[in-house]
Amino acid sequence: MTLTRADVLLVGLFSAKQRDHAAVMDELAAVAGALGARVVGRFVQRRGVSDGGVAKMGQPYSSRTLVSAGKVREIAAARKEHGAGAVIFANPLTDHQRKVLTEILDCAVISRTDLRP
């Protein structure tokens, strides 16, 4: 998939212990921009912020979608609103997660590891 002139959304799942999540998202935006994409939105899901989440801080919210169902709904609404052609995750995705997210979001879903600046 080419990102040239594509509108994209960025998504990242971060542990509450990871303090540099904004820098990671900025770096992802820079890589996407270098490939010709235009970032039209960013979504960050934090894990371990609530009392119940601390024990699961390093785990994804969902093995199907990586992030929570509510976050997926937010991303889908923004994708539709902006007409984004792709969603780029800061996190690695399994083939199953990529397939499920592609079906739900109705666009290409890639991870940072797929991008070559």
Side-chain angles (χ1 to χ4, degrees):
M1 174 193 182
T2 180
L3 293 178
T4 304
R5 291 188 291 237
D7 288 345
V8 300
L9 298 171
L10 306 181
V11 180
L13 171 65
F14 301 98
S15 158
K17 288 184 180 179
Q18 189 170 356
R19 303 278 185 225
D20 67 340
H21 68 279
V24 171
M25 294 298 283
D26 289 344
E27 187 268 337
L28 181 58
V31 170
L35 294 171
R38 183 171 74 106
V39 176
V40 296
R42 295 180 183 203
F43 295 87
V44 171
Q45 177 103 58
R46 301 294 304 274
R47 185 74 194 236
V49 177
S50 68
D51 291 337
V54 173
K56 298 178 181 180
M57 203 173 319
Q59 300 173 1
Y61 268 94
S62 165
S63 61
R64 288 185 71 238
T65 60
L66 186 70
V67 294
S68 69
K71 189 62 70 180
V72 171
R73 284 191 296 273
E74 287 178 42
I75 297 164
R79 197 224 50 85
K80 199 172 203 178
E81 177 185 339
H82 295 290
V87 175
I88 305 172
F89 277 75
N91 313 79
L93 297 169
T94 66
D95 290 339
H96 181 69
Q97 288 167 338
R98 188 184 318 267
K99 181 179 184 250
V100 169
L101 287 163
T102 297
E103 289 173 6
I104 293 170
L105 300 175
D106 194 28
C107 70
V109 175
I110 56 179
S111 73
R112 168 66 180 99
T113 57
D114 299 322
L115 301 179
R116 306 288 178 247

